[in-house]
Structure formats: structure tokens, C-alpha cells
């Protein structure tokens, strides 16, 4: 691989442990099920949407976007050889980018929304209006589209040591592109949303000190909002920050320090682990729905209670039917009728 100074890199790509694709299969399956349930509840069971529900619905969509690319990712992790062509490589990266940064942006918006709902409880505020929230979500999706479309024009597959790679730091013709794109998206796609969420958490924590402890309703709202923003920060810390750190180290080493193969190997192994952790966001985001949305929580628990009630009713009817049809029951009924006669 050529770096910017013209030197050749002889570092070998690290093999991916079998644990990675197995774990990804489990993560994607659980995330797919959870997000399908969440989208079903939002679309079919939550009758009246407010701004909170709109934001969470869009977050669920951003998590579900990864589903079409999941099989390609798992197969590529198993074989380490991309056999699906350039277009599917570009589509996979587009879906990955939309999934990750869509989740990040909507988590940031949910944190901002929760802070203003509690600390600036003004019913007429534009942030609480469904129309404004819907339009703002549309703007986010347009930004995600514009952010991902360039992949279809500049990203290519490359032959590296006899195998085809897709979005690998070992691609010599993509090294500068990966470096520039990484630093731009690191700032706009991670640092700005994370700092914004952290500021919302800090401001809300300060607001808690001013809350009247006798106001039960306000305390409940504040508690749920703190839990929501805290969950968002935890998702940032577990899913997004580590993978951005290891990726930044990898593209920097491969471009400026190509002879440091030992360090690059360790960073590449760490990147695979953090990249796997980044996939867990589709399993962790549904926690936000339970904290931030009373309507979602109520609908979910109500549906569960109804199913449990139906099961009990069905079991009771079946038991009653068995008692009526059993020989002992019939004999007992005959004896009762004779005694009454």
C-alpha cells in the first residue's frame, strides 16, 4: 500500500476471529426482532403521536436500516473476501453510515427534546410541536442521504494480497479518502452530537437542584428525562466512541506510519471488537423508548397484559371443557340429579 510519501506498506490484514461474525449474527437478529416490535407498536398501536413518539419512530427506522446489509456483513466477516461486486459494497457502506449516524443524530435530538420539555416547559414551544419535529426529522434524513450518496461515486473495491476488500484500511487507492472522510465525520457525526447530549445532561442535572421535591409529577418527568439522556450517553460511550477512536488510529497509522505493522495489527484487532460493539446500538436503543415515551411503555405493557389475560381465559375455558367432558364429572352430575329427585 502506498502512503502519501510514496512508501510501500507491507502490513498484512488481520484475520477476523470467528467470534465476530457469530456475535454479529446474534446482535443483528436480536436488534431486528426488537426494532420490528417497536415499529409495529409505534405504527399500529400508538394512536396519538406527539413529538416524542415521532423522534423515537425515526430512531427505530434508522436502526432497522441495517437489516438489508446484515447478511452481507456477516458473510464478509466469515470469508474476508468480498464477492458481491462494487455496487453492493457501496450500498453496504451507505446503509452502515445511515444506520450509525442516523442513530447518533436522533439520540441527540431526543436528548435536546427531553431537556427542553422539562427545563423549559412551555406548551407552545416549537420543539414540542409535531409539525416542526416531523420537518426536522425529514431534514435529518436528507442530510444522511447527502452524507451517504458520495460513497456510490468514490468508493471502490480493491485487491489486497489476493483477496477483494470492501471498506478496508488496507485499500491503497482509498487511504487518503478514508483519512479525510474519517476526520470530517468524527467531528460532525460524533463529537458535535456527543457534546450536545452531554451538555443537555449537565443542564438537566443542574435543573434537578431547583425542582420542588413536593411536586410529584415534575419529579417523575425529570427522573424519566434524566434516565433517557443517561441511556443516550451510555450508548454513545459503548457503541460509538470506541469504534471512532480505533478507526481514527487505523487510518492515521496506515497513511503516515506504514512501517508500524505491529501497532497497526493491534489497532486493527481492537477496531474489529469495537465495530462489533457498535452494532449493539440496535439492541440498546429500544431502552430509550421505555424511558422516554409513556405512550410506548403503556402500549407495550397493555399488549403484554392482554395476551396474558387471553391465555388465562383460554386455559380456564379448556379446563372447564375437560371437566364437563370427563367421565367422573358426568357420573357426579348424575348422582347430584338423583339426590335432588
Amino acid at each position: 500500500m502506498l502512503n502519501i510519501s510514496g512508501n510501500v506498506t507491507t502490513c498484512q490484514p488481520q484475520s477476523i476471529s470467528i467470534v465476530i461474525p457469530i456475535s454479529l449474527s446474534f446482535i443483528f437478529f436480536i436488534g431486528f426482532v426488537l426494532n420490528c416490535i417497536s415499529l409495529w407498536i409505534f405504527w399500529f398501536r400508538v394512536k396519538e403521536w406527539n413529538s416524542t413518539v415521532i423522534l423515537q419512530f425515526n430512531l427505530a427506522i434508522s436502526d432497522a436500516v441495517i437489516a438489508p446489509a446484515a447478511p452481507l456483513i456477516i458473510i464478509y466477516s466469515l470469508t474476508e473476501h468480498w464477492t458481491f461486486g462494487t455496487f453492493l459494497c457501496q450500498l453496504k457502506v451507505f446503509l452502515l453510515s445511515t444506520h450509525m449516524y442516523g442513530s447518533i443524530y436522533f439520540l441527540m435530538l431526543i436528548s435536546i427534546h427531553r431537556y427542553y420539555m422539562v427545563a423549559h416547559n412551555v406548551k407552545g414551544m416549537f420543539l414540542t410541536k409535531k409539525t416542526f419535529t416531523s420537518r426536522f426529522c425529514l431534514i435529518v434524513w436528507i442530510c444522511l442521504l447527502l452524507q451517504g450518496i458520495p460513497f456510490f461515486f468514490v468508493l471502490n473495491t480493491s485487491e489486497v494480497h489476493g483477496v477483494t476488500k470492501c471498506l478496508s484500511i488496507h485499500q491503497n487507492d482509498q487511504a487518503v479518502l478514508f483519512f479525510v472522510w474519517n476526520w470530517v465525520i468524527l467531528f460532525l457525526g460524533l463529537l458535535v452530537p456527543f457534546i450536545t447530549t452531554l451538555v443537555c445532561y449537565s443542564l438537566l442535572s443542574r435543573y434537578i437542584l431547583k425542582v420542588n421535591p413536593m411536586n410529584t409529577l415534575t419529579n417523575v418527568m425529570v427522573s424519566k428525562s434524566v434516565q433517557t439522556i443517561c441511556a443516550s450517553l451510555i450508548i454513545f460511550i459503548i457503541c460509538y466512541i470506541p469504534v471512532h477512536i480505533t478507526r481514527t488510529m487505523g487510518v492515521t497509522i496506515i497513511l503516515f506510519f506504514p512501517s508500524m505493522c505491529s501497532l497497526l495489527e493491534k489497532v486493527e484487532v481492537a477496531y474489529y471488537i469495537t465495530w462489533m460493539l457498535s452494532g449493539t446500538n440496535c439492541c440498546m436503543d429500544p431502552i430509550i423508548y421505555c424511558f422516554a415515551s409513556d405512550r410506548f411503555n403503556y402500549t407495550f405493557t397493555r399488549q403484554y397484559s392482554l395476551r396474558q389475560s387471553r391465555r388465562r381465559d383460554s386455559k380456564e375455558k379448556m379446563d372447564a371443557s375437560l371437566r364437563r367432558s370427563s367421565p367422573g364429572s358426568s357420573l357426579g352430575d348424575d348422582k347430584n340429579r338423583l339426590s335432588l329427585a
Side-chain angles (χ1 to χ4, degrees):
M1 178 179 295
L2 297 176
N3 70 341
I4 58 175
S5 61
N7 297 325
V8 179
T9 296
T10 58
C11 299
Q12 294 284 339
Q14 287 297 296
S15 297
I16 301 176
S17 171
I18 190 65
V19 175
I20 300 295
I22 292 175
S23 300
L24 285 174
S25 301
F26 180 76
I27 290 169
F28 286 147
F29 176 75
I30 297 298
F32 178 75
V33 172
L34 290 176
N35 283 287
C36 284
I37 294 173
S38 300
L39 289 171
W40 178 80
I41 291 176
F42 281 131
W43 192 257
F44 293 104
R45 295 300 175 182
V46 179
K47 296 181 179 179
E48 296 183 6
W49 285 28
N50 55 17
S51 54
T52 299
V53 174
I54 292 172
L55 287 172
Q56 293 171 352
F57 178 74
N58 281 272
L59 175 61
I61 292 177
S62 68
D63 287 336
V65 162
I66 194 64
L72 300 178
I73 295 171
I74 294 169
I75 294 173
Y76 184 42
S77 300
L78 282 169
T79 62
E80 301 183 44
H81 177 58
W82 186 262
T83 58
F84 305 106
T86 302
F87 175 75
L88 286 182
C89 172
Q90 296 166 343
L91 180 62
K92 181 202 76 168
V93 177
F94 172 78
L95 294 176
L96 275 172
S97 173
T98 303
H99 161 69
M100 176 178 288
Y101 296 104
S103 298
I104 290 176
Y105 296 150
F106 285 116
L107 284 174
M108 176 187 68
L109 292 180
I110 289 173
S111 298
I112 295 173
H113 181 265
R114 296 307 299 181
Y115 166 70
Y116 273 95
M117 283 287 290
V118 174
H120 304 278
N121 189 15
V122 181
K123 293 184 179 180
M125 184 177 294
F126 63 92
L127 286 174
T128 65
K129 293 182 178 180
K130 293 190 293 184
T131 304
F132 174 82
T133 305
S134 300
R135 291 175 180 174
F136 204 85
C137 289
L138 180 60
I139 293 173
V140 171
W141 283 111
I142 292 174
C143 291
L144 289 169
L145 186 64
L146 295 176
Q147 178 179 303
I149 281 180
F151 289 122
F152 290 98
F153 298 96
V154 298
L155 186 66
N156 292 303
T157 57
S158 304
E159 293 292 324
V160 179
H161 298 288
V163 295
T164 304
K165 293 294 182 180
C166 169
L167 195 67
S168 170
I169 60 173
H170 293 278
Q171 292 178 252
N172 58 352
D173 55 340
Q174 305 283 298
V176 176
L177 171 66
F178 290 165
F179 180 82
V180 174
W181 177 83
N182 175 79
W183 280 99
V184 171
I185 203 65
L186 177 67
F187 178 76
L188 297 177
L190 178 69
L191 292 180
V192 171
F194 177 68
I195 292 173
T196 302
T197 303
L198 191 61
V199 169
C200 289
Y201 182 79
S202 302
L203 293 175
L204 192 58
S205 299
R206 290 177 56 186
Y207 177 78
I208 292 175
L209 301 176
K210 304 176 183 179
V211 174
N212 184 359
M214 302 303 294
N215 192 332
T216 306
L217 183 61
T218 301
N219 286 332
V220 171
M221 182 181 292
V222 170
S223 176
K224 290 178 68 66
S225 297
V226 169
Q227 290 173 342
T228 301
I229 299 177
C230 186
S232 299
L233 286 173
I234 291 173
I235 293 172
F236 269 103
I237 293 170
I238 294 176
C239 300
Y240 301 130
I241 293 179
V243 71
H244 280 81
I245 291 175
T246 55
R247 189 179 68 195
T248 301
M249 293 176 64
V251 296
T252 303
I253 293 171
I254 204 72
L255 194 62
F256 294 101
F257 309 100
S259 61
M260 300 178 66
C261 294
S262 177
L263 178 60
L264 182 62
E265 290 172 1
K266 295 176 182 178
V267 170
E268 195 170 357
V269 171
Y271 172 74
Y272 288 141
I273 296 173
T274 56
W275 180 69
M276 180 186 67
L277 287 176
S278 69
T280 60
N281 75 298
C282 60
C283 301
M284 299 177 68
D285 285 344
I287 299 173
I288 300 291
Y289 313 145
C290 297
F291 284 150
S293 178
D294 291 329
R295 298 186 183 186
F296 179 91
N297 204 6
Y298 169 76
T299 304
F300 180 79
T301 54
R302 183 171 177 270
Q303 291 297 318
Y304 178 78
S305 300
L306 285 174
R307 285 195 296 269
Q308 293 295 102
S309 177
R310 289 170 183 169
R311 289 175 182 174
R312 286 195 300 268
D313 292 343
S314 177
K315 187 176 184 300
E316 290 174 359
K317 290 179 181 178
M318 185 178 295
D319 291 342
S321 176
L322 290 172
R323 285 195 299 269
R324 286 194 300 269
S325 62
S326 63
S329 175
S330 177
L331 181 61
D333 292 342
D334 292 342
K335 289 181 178 179
N336 289 335
R337 285 195 292 270
L338 287 172
S339 62
L340 289 171

